[in-house]
Structure formats: C-alpha cells, structure tokens
Amino acid sequence: MTGSGGLSAQQVIQSRQQHGSNALEQQAHSGLWKKVLAGFGDPIIRILLIALAINALFLLRGAPWFETAGIAAAVFLATFISALSEYGSDAAFRRMQEEAARMQVRVRRDGMVQSIPADEVVVGDLVLLQSGERIAADGVLLRGELQVDQSTLTGESREITKTPGDGSPSDTKSTLLRGSVITAGEGEMEVFAVGRATTYGSMAEQVQEETRDSPMHLRLEHLAGIVSRFGIAAAVLVAAADLFLSFGIQGGLHQPLADQISHILHAVTLAVTVIVVAVPEGLPMMITVVLSANVVRMMRDHVLVRRLTGIETAGSLNILFTDKTGTLTSGHMTADSFLCGDGTRIDGISALQRGAPGLFQLVCADCRYNTAAAISGARVVGGNATDHAMLKAVLPIVAGQPSEGTAQRIPFDSAKKYAAVRLTERAVTLIRGAPELLLPHCTQCLLPDGTTAPMDYRRVQRIIRQEAGTGGRILLLAITDKSVRDTLPDGLTMTAAVVLRDPLRRETCGAVQQLEQAGIRLVMLTGDSVDTARAIARRAGLLDEQENGIYERSQIEHMSDEQLAKLLPNLRVLARAMPQDKTRLVAAAQARGLVTGMTGDGVNDAPALRMADIGFAMGSGTEVAQEAGDIVIADDNLASIARAVLYGRTIFKSIRKFLVFQLTMNVCAVGVSVVGPLIGIDTPVTVMQMLWVNLIMDTLAGLAFSGEPPLAEYMQEAPKKRDDPVLNRYMVGQISAIGCYTVALCAVFLWLPPVRQWLHYDTDPIHLLTAFFALFIFCSVFHAFNARTHRLNLLAHIVRNPLFVLIMGAVAAIQIVIIYFGGTLFRTEPLTLSELGVVAALAFTVIPVDWVRKLWLAARGKPRDF
C-alpha cells in the first residue's frame, strides 16, 4: 500500500510502464477510405463492378465511354456517400466518448491533492471519492463508507454499501469497480487495476464483432441473383436477335470472314450493353441517399445512427427486448403518495400540505433533514436515489427557508435499514426506514387531522403489501422524543408511509401500443420482483386481461435453448433478469428466424447489443454499450425506438418504390434494345441521350424517392420477414405490366407506318427519333407518380415530399429544353406543339393503364402495397 501522500511523479511513470494506461483501447475505427473500400462488398455493387470491367474491355475497341463512366460514377458515389455518412455518425459517437474521457479525478500525489483526467490514473494511485462521481478504475476502499450503484456492470439495480476491508481485491465489501457510480458517502481508494485490466475493460474486450448479415444484405443478395439472371437472359436474347438479323435476314453467312467477325462482335457488344442497362446501377446510390437523408432527420428525433443498415433493420424488427428502468420508466424515483396509519391515501406533497398540514410538517422535516442529500441553488445534490426523491418532493416548498438545528445524525446503512436525525429545537427524532423493521417498534400512528391513534398493524401491513404489488417502494416515517443510538427504541409513532415510484414515461403507453400494432413483440426485462414487474407491465400496456406471459429467471435458467425458443411467443415479462439472460434470449429469437432488437446501457449489455440484429444503446449508458449498438437513443425513450422503426419501414418502402420505377424503365430500355434492330433502328437512343436517361434513373429519381414521408399507416402493417425478397408479387406485377406496356408503346411508335409518315421518317428520321426520345422520358416521369404510391390517388401525401414534384417537374422542363435546343449533341430537333402534346398524351397513358391494373387487383382482393 502506498503512503498517505500518494505516488511520486517517478512512481507514476514506473506504474504506467509496468501496468499500462487507464485509457481503454477503442475498437479500431475505420477511416473514410477504408469504409469506401468496404462498400464494394455490397451485392449490387459487385454486379456493377463486373459490368464495369466488361464495359472497360469494350471501351478499348471504341465502345461508347459514357456507360463506363456512368457506372464508375454510380459505384464511387454510392460507396463514398455511404462511407461519409457512417463516418459522420462515428465522429458524433467519438465526440460522446471523448467527453466521457475528459472526466476529472482527484488523486493524492506528492503529498498534494491533484485533479487529473481519468485516463491518467495509474495502479497505486490514491483516489478521493464523493457522492455523484463515477469510479475511474478498479480499487479497494481504504477510508470512508460509500453507497455504490454497480448496475452497469452487474445488472443489480440496488445500491451496495462499500466499507474498508483487508485491502485485498478479493474482498468484495471493499472492492470498487470502474464504471460504478457513487450515490452517497465519501471515501478514498487505492487503485489496483487500470484500463483493459479492469472488470469494465475486460467486458469491453469480450464484445464480439461477428454478427449475422442484416436483412437488407440478404434481400440485396437475392435481388442481385434476379438481376443477373434477367440481364443474362436479355443479353442472350438480344445477341440472338442481332445475329439472326445479320446472318439470317441480311445474308451474313455469305459475307467475308472479317465481316462475319464484325457481326459477332456487334452482337456481343449489344449483349454487354443490355446487361449494363439491365443492372439497376442507381440502386446503391439511392439506398445510400435515402439512408443518409434519414440519418439527419433521425438525429432531430434523438436517434443517432451508428451503422446505416441499422435503420432499415429497425423497420424489419419482429421482437424487441427492452429494459424497464430508464426506457419504459423515467429512471428517477419520485414520492408518489403518502399513506396514513388509518388507511387514508394522499397523492402528492401538495395534497398532503392542503389536507393534513400537521402531518405535512413532519413529513417535510424528514425529507429535508433526515437525508444525505442537500439543496444547492435550485437543485438537489448528493445522497442516494431515495434521498434525492424525498428532498425533490419538498424542494419548491422548503427552498429559501431557514434551516433547523440537527444532531445525532445516523446515515442510512443497508445493514441497519434505517436513517435517523435529531431536531434540536423540537426535541424530536425523525426516523425513516424499511417498514418491516420500523413497524414492530411503532405503538401509535398520526392521523391526517394531527391526532394520534393506536396502531392497527394488520391494516397497515395490508396497505403496504397492496402498494408494493403495484410497483411501489415503501418507506416508513416515524417520530419519537427519545434519542436513537445503536438500536431503535420502542414506542415510536408512525408518521406516514411514503410510496416511491419510478414513473412510466408519459410516451411509454403510446409507444408500446404503436409497436404492438406494428406487429413487434415487446418483452420487458427487469431485475425487479414478479409483483413489481407485473405492476409496471400492466401500466405500460404489455399484458393482456389475463396477465399471462410473466416469468421469473428461475423458471427459464434450466430450460434448454429449444425450450426457451418455444417459450418466446408467450413471454412478455422476465423478472429477476440477469445480463447473461439477454444473450440467451437474443439467440433463441434468432433461432426462430426473428429479426431481434435489444436495448441496453451497461457494459454487461454489450454482448447482447452486438449479437442482436439491431442494438439500441441508451444515450445515458456506457461507452462500451454505445460502441456495441447500431443505434444510440439519445433520450433513452421507447418512443424514439418506435420512431426509428417507422423510419426503417419508410426507407424500405422508398427503396421498393424506386426499384419499381427503375426496373420498369430498365425493362423498357432492354425491350427497345431488343426490338430496335428488328425494325431497322440500330440506335434508338444515342450516347448523350442515354447519359441523360441514366441521370434521371440513377441520381435524380433516387433523390426524389428519398424524401418520401414516414406515414403512420406503415406502423399498422406486420413486419417483413428477415428473408422476404425486395421484390414482392405486387412489384413484379407492376414492373411486368408497365414495362411490357411501355416496350409495346415505344416499339409501335417507332414501327407503325402512320406514325412514321406523320413524323416524316422517310425524309427526316431525326424527327421521329426525337419524338421517341421525348416519349421515353415522359413515360418515365409519369410512371414515377405510379411508382410512389399504391393508391389510385397519385397525389396522396405528395405535399410532404415537395422534392419529388420539384425534381420531376425539372426533368420534364429540361427534356423540353433538350428537344428544342439539344441539336446535334442530343440528336434532337424541335417538335411542333401539337406533336409534343400527342407524345405527352401517349406517355400519360401509363397512368390509366396502371389504374386498370390496380382496380383489377382490388376487384380480385389481391394486396396492393409495396
């Protein structure tokens, strides 16, 4: 043990060299460019990279450069923006950690008390501790007595008394652990472990990085397979059509070998073009844009997204395991009501002051003087949670009033289970403590009118049991004219019983109802007793009328994993829960194929947060828990989790809407590429025109759909299964129907003799091709309105996405400018107003055609939703 003056400067250096720093080794945060490279593992990005490589090869023999450049730009922007967004969230998270690391600690060194950063504490330091401080390293208490909250490490919600022992780390009564909070008392400890050697540090290292793939990753893998098969099939079809045209119709078999090779290369080039057109290269960009845009919105709702895929995963949530304290409840005890010896219940300190002024004076005195807490300005400081709750109840009344003289103070001790103080001016002693301890010593009770009456023990005990059964914690207040020393005297007068509660947050019931309506099963985990857990769950709306689904840890700890998984559909509350139960429950839920969420704030919650598909770390929690979580809930509120779910579902809807839009136009582009050569038009769309089409389909449409509003109706739907494909039957039907219709419309427009004659194709082919280009773009614009809603009313909620209207209006306006001023660059020439009107009217037909499809689905009772 070091001397009372603490370590010298030289000893500090030697200790740091021998035992290391107190700074925790953070998980290596990937830099921006590492995150960019990691983005290339996305399934759709991999397809794009393959298409990019093939295109680059054909670029060497004079193929158009724009598609290669467009794919490269799409890949880079998608990965870069995604990486930038995650990097920004990581930066915000690192700032939170840095603020925690700046905590100052008071130590004795060189015979003086110094204030140093927590990271600079070394083994052997003598650390001074007082109420309200967080312990910076593991050590043993040398002097003083402390009440310590170790819940972040052990999961035990009760405060633990620490007293000096033999100085050994194995002496649990004197051992203090890093991360614990001192709730009452003062003391001095000697540090025996720092950094990764602390219990806190070892738990941080146990957090596993390996997690299973997110639902979005699985869905994109499935989509990538579909797109690959479609692209290859279309490419084979186009190549076969071109070869048939060259060798079967145009007599290529009788041409020189060099010409035949040229025809084959032309067919292969067309096939590659079709593959590239078929790939939705705008999808990664759109997903990135919609995720990143919603990250900013969610931060305004107290939700900090650390991993972008976590947002979409939240929307797929099937089951959420949630802590009680601080998430469902406020996390702060309040003096809820007061019970008199005759059974009278008085709710709130104000009602007590009005209805029982004599009783109020004694209760108020106990709250103010029989406590380790104190008033500083307009706030309560020091003391434990009970002291805080009692003094805060009377703070508005007693603040500014002169204090009475006190003596013979006996602070609360978990062994004695009571506290007492003598008021010298009144010559009375105020006592507060556990009812089971004080009641046997009470012979009479105070009534609301200030008179006394004999104690009716059975009645008082019955009332206390009833209140405890509703989730309240009961303290008994008593008074005597005798002095209190080491033992309680008999003949006490019961003043009142105080009911302390950790009240539900006002948003909890609404959030529980919202999540339940969304098909998400909530399971409350608490260290409280079954009766208390039942009362809280009942008030939160987690239980049905029969109050089924409440289990205690002892009932599940000996179950096999298979038995626990079978129990999950009936589990609503787990009482006396321990931190290790969380990982078991997560594993059991995942074994049933459920997308699993977990909330947590302590170091011991980190493994479960990491294992869950979506980990919600609390903003008031430890750095280790926040490191393990996917999303940090800054206000610790269940309502914020409900909003995260809504955002996740909105994002998935937006992705599906964009896919309907882009894949429909891809089908049209592929179809025109197949049909074009067969009707004598080799290049229906030029290089510059395709560049403009790609800009619309990739970037502009992605931005337009990223602003879709979160609608409350999304929370009425059942959650998507983990392996549900991105493309559902409704989407495939819409893509097929409108894709085939637009292909037919464009092909007929290009081939029909009356149209060719009307647009002077024989003398001026550019005129027809300009009109076709306008038709294709206008079809895209009108179909975007089809794609954004399953309703017949295409303008539903459109005012909440003004960016969509702005972008689509801008696309139409720019297209008109290109028609009239594009010239040779875009291969266009001006159309007359009547020609432009007819083309626009033909393009508009995609809307009534889709209306017919929607009405047909409605008539047959088929689902009409994304």
Side-chain angles (χ1 to χ4, degrees):
M1 185 180 293
T2 58
S4 60
L7 299 177
S8 67
Q10 184 60 34
Q11 288 173 322
V12 168
I13 294 172
Q14 292 173 350
S15 179
R16 186 172 289 118
Q17 290 173 342
Q18 182 179 355
H19 301 286
S21 166
N22 194 39
L24 289 180
E25 293 183 10
Q26 304 287 341
Q27 292 180 358
H29 291 281
S30 300
L32 178 61
W33 292 109
K34 282 189 176 180
K35 289 183 179 291
V36 170
L37 293 175
F40 292 139
D42 182 273
I44 299 295
I45 292 289
R46 289 203 301 268
I47 290 183
L48 287 175
L49 289 173
I50 294 171
L52 179 62
I54 296 172
N55 233 37
L57 291 176
F58 279 87
L59 185 63
L60 298 176
R61 59 179 302 273
W65 59 268
F66 75 94
E67 194 65 62
T68 305
I71 296 174
V75 168
F76 175 76
L77 287 175
T79 53
F80 182 76
I81 292 175
S82 176
L84 190 64
S85 181
E86 283 200 9
Y87 185 78
S89 293
D90 272 353
F93 170 68
R94 287 194 297 275
R95 283 194 295 272
M96 293 172 63
Q97 288 188 317
E98 288 165 4
E99 288 173 7
R102 284 197 290 268
M103 179 180 74
Q104 293 291 305
V105 177
R106 293 173 301 134
V107 298
R108 293 189 193 276
R109 287 183 180 175
D110 291 320
M112 298 182 296
V113 175
Q114 303 177 19
S115 180
I116 63 171
D119 286 354
E120 295 182 12
V121 172
V122 298
V123 171
D125 262 329
L126 297 180
V127 181
L128 304 181
L129 302 169
Q130 65 182 17
S131 179
E133 292 183 338
R134 187 179 294 272
I135 298 172
D138 287 0
V140 291
L141 187 64
L142 301 179
R143 283 175 283 278
E145 182 174 311
L146 302 173
Q147 295 291 317
V148 178
D149 178 3
Q150 297 184 161
S151 58
T152 60
L153 293 160
T154 64
E156 297 177 10
S157 58
R158 64 184 179 89
E159 294 158 355
I160 299 171
T161 301
K162 297 290 183 178
T163 55
D166 60 12
S168 167
S170 61
D171 180 10
T172 57
K173 290 185 178 179
S174 63
T175 301
L176 299 168
L177 302 178
R178 175 176 182 158
S180 303
V181 176
I182 301 166
T183 59
E186 294 183 352
E188 184 173 339
M189 81 167 187
E190 181 179 8
V191 175
F192 64 71
V194 294
R196 60 193 297 181
T198 63
T199 301
Y200 185 101
S202 63
M203 284 184 175
E205 287 194 338
Q206 290 171 13
V207 175
Q208 298 298 315
E209 284 295 332
E210 295 78 11
T211 57
R212 64 177 185 171
D213 289 336
S214 69
M216 174 60 80
H217 187 88
L218 292 178
R219 291 161 181 161
L220 290 181
E221 286 279 11
H222 182 259
L223 178 64
I226 293 175
V227 168
S228 299
R229 291 191 293 272
F230 172 75
I232 292 171
V236 170
L237 186 61
V238 167
D242 187 68
L243 290 174
F244 175 75
L245 179 67
S246 299
F247 291 100
I249 297 178
Q250 297 177 349
L253 288 174
H254 305 292
Q255 294 176 354
L257 180 61
D259 291 341
Q260 292 181 4
I261 292 174
S262 179
H263 290 319
I264 292 172
L265 287 175
H266 183 266
V268 172
T269 302
L270 280 179
V272 171
T273 302
V274 167
I275 288 175
V276 171
V277 170
V279 173
E281 61 261 43
L283 180 59
M285 177 71 172
M286 187 271 167
I287 291 176
T288 299
V289 168
V290 72
L291 290 176
S292 301
N294 280 278
V295 164
V296 177
R297 296 177 192 166
M298 292 173 75
M299 287 183 72
R300 292 195 291 266
D301 282 334
H302 311 291
V303 179
L304 173 62
V305 180
R306 296 204 56 239
R307 297 177 182 86
L308 284 183
T309 54
I311 315 176
E312 189 279 329
T313 305
S316 302
L317 203 59
N318 298 124
I319 188 168
L320 175 64
F321 298 103
T322 178
D323 285 329
K324 181 208 74 175
T325 305
T327 305
L328 298 178
T329 65
S330 68
H332 303 288
M333 299 294 286
T334 60
D336 181 72
S337 55
F338 303 88
L339 306 174
C340 302
D342 63 351
T344 303
R345 177 192 177 99
I346 302 175
D347 293 324
I349 195 72
S350 298
L352 184 68
Q353 185 179 21
R354 292 191 305 269
L359 200 62
F360 165 77
Q361 292 297 329
L362 290 173
V363 169
C364 194
D366 190 283
C367 292
R368 185 176 188 184
Y369 301 114
N370 194 9
T371 178
I375 299 172
S376 175
R379 48 195 285 272
V380 175
V381 296
N384 57 27
T386 302
D387 292 335
H388 264 260
M390 298 285 283
L391 186 51
K392 282 183 73 174
V394 299
L395 180 61
I397 299 167
V398 303
Q401 292 184 4
S403 299
E404 292 187 41
T406 60
Q408 299 176 3
R409 181 185 302 278
I410 300 176
F412 179 83
D413 182 282
S414 58
K416 294 194 293 280
K417 293 187 178 181
Y418 71 87
V421 65
R422 181 88 175 164
L423 299 183
T424 54
E425 295 176 15
R426 305 191 202 186
V428 296
T429 301
L430 305 175
I431 306 170
R432 77 162 71 147
E436 64 272 19
L437 177 70
L438 296 188
L439 272 178
H441 296 274
C442 294
T443 56
Q444 57 185 358
C445 63
L446 277 176
L447 302 179
D449 62 3
T451 61
T452 59
M455 279 290 293
D456 185 340
Y457 294 101
R458 290 185 178 180
R459 178 169 59 191
V460 173
Q461 288 173 336
R462 185 180 67 252
I463 294 170
I464 288 174
R465 280 197 302 271
Q466 288 173 348
E467 291 296 331
T470 62
R473 180 188 172 196
I474 314 300
L475 276 181
L476 201 70
L477 308 185
I479 188 173
T480 180
D481 56 3
K482 302 174 185 177
S483 295
V484 177
R485 300 291 183 181
D486 296 328
T487 58
L488 286 171
D490 291 327
L492 301 182
T493 299
M494 172 185 163
T495 308
V498 183
V499 182
L500 297 171
R501 295 186 192 279
D502 181 5
L504 287 179
R505 290 177 178 270
R506 67 174 183 274
E507 309 94 343
T508 293
C509 292
V512 167
Q513 185 179 16
Q514 189 179 19
L515 290 170
E516 293 280 352
Q517 288 176 345
I520 299 170
R521 187 171 190 81
L522 261 70
V523 178
M524 184 182 84
L525 309 178
T526 177
D528 292 328
S529 66
V530 170
D531 288 339
T532 301
R534 178 183 287 108
I536 296 293
R538 185 191 305 124
R539 299 206 322 258
L542 286 170
L543 300 177
D544 57 21
E545 293 180 359
Q546 289 74 36
E547 297 190 353
N548 296 321
I550 302 178
Y551 291 83
E552 198 168 9
R553 182 176 190 269
S554 59
Q555 295 175 266
I556 71 164
E557 62 180 332
H558 299 300
M559 288 184 179
S560 66
D561 292 340
E562 292 76 14
Q563 290 172 323
L564 184 58
K566 290 179 180 178
L567 175 69
L568 278 181
N570 301 317
L571 180 64
R572 301 312 305 265
V573 176
L574 181 63
R576 300 298 187 194
M578 297 294 287
Q580 55 267 38
D581 297 325
K582 293 187 174 184
T583 51
R584 278 201 74 198
L585 288 168
V586 169
Q590 290 180 338
R592 292 182 64 92
L594 302 176
V595 178
T596 307
M598 173 65 72
T599 71
D601 57 2
V603 177
N604 50 20
D605 295 329
L609 288 170
R610 175 65 74 194
M611 181 187 292
D613 294 298
I614 174 75
F616 296 100
M618 298 297 108
S620 64
T622 62
E623 305 96 295
V624 175
Q626 292 169 1
E627 179 86 40
D630 301 286
I631 289 176
V632 177
I633 304 299
D635 61 353
D636 299 2
N637 200 327
L638 187 69
S640 296
I641 295 178
R643 285 193 290 273
V645 171
L646 176 57
Y647 276 115
R649 294 189 173 190
T650 303
I651 287 167
F652 189 54
K653 295 273 188 182
S654 298
I655 291 170
R656 281 185 154 181
K657 292 172 183 180
F658 174 79
L659 273 175
V660 167
F661 168 77
Q662 188 172 53
L663 291 182
T664 301
M665 301 323 297
N666 281 9
V667 167
C668 182
V670 170
V672 170
S673 299
V674 172
V675 173
L678 299 179
I679 59 176
I681 300 178
D682 243 358
T683 55
V685 180
T686 68
V687 169
M688 289 304 298
Q689 288 174 351
M690 187 58 76
L691 191 61
W692 169 231
V693 169
N694 280 351
L695 181 63
I696 295 172
M697 290 199 297
D698 298 349
T699 308
L700 297 180
L703 288 171
F705 284 101
S706 70
E708 284 298 287
L711 303 179
E713 65 191 52
Y714 297 160
M715 296 296 280
Q716 308 296 320
E717 301 173 6
K720 303 293 185 290
K721 293 181 181 178
R722 173 177 163 78
D723 55 354
D724 271 359
V726 178
L727 297 177
N728 61 15
R729 294 182 64 180
Y730 173 83
M731 296 168 66
V732 171
Q734 187 171 21
I735 292 167
S736 302
I738 305 303
C740 292
Y741 174 74
T742 51
V743 169
L745 179 65
C746 291
V748 169
F749 186 85
L750 288 171
W751 168 79
L752 201 63
V755 175
R756 290 190 172 194
Q757 182 179 357
W758 173 53
L759 293 171
H760 318 295
Y761 178 72
D762 293 334
T763 58
D764 187 8
I766 301 300
H767 210 68
L768 172 66
L769 295 176
T770 299
F772 162 74
F773 180 40
L775 177 66
F776 185 89
I777 297 298
F778 289 154
C779 280
S780 300
V781 171
F782 288 126
H783 182 56
F785 286 86
N786 284 336
R788 68 166 295 274
T789 180
H790 64 278
R791 294 176 169 85
L792 292 174
N793 177 15
L794 302 186
L795 302 182
H797 305 292
I798 203 164
V799 294
R800 296 179 62 186
N801 187 7
L803 187 63
F804 182 90
V805 179
L806 181 65
I807 288 176
M808 290 304 155
V811 168
I814 294 171
Q815 178 61 28
I816 292 173
V817 171
I818 290 174
I819 289 171
Y820 288 96
F821 302 101
T824 55
L825 180 64
F826 281 93
R827 197 188 65 180
T828 60
E829 62 181 39
L831 300 176
T832 66
L833 289 178
S834 61
E835 290 168 344
L836 186 65
V838 170
V839 168
L842 287 173
F844 183 80
T845 59
V846 297
I847 289 178
V849 168
D850 201 49
W851 274 346
V852 170
R853 184 191 64 83
K854 290 175 180 176
L855 289 170
W856 181 76
L857 288 175
R860 298 189 60 189
K862 300 289 184 180
R864 291 191 303 121
D865 199 3
F866 295 103

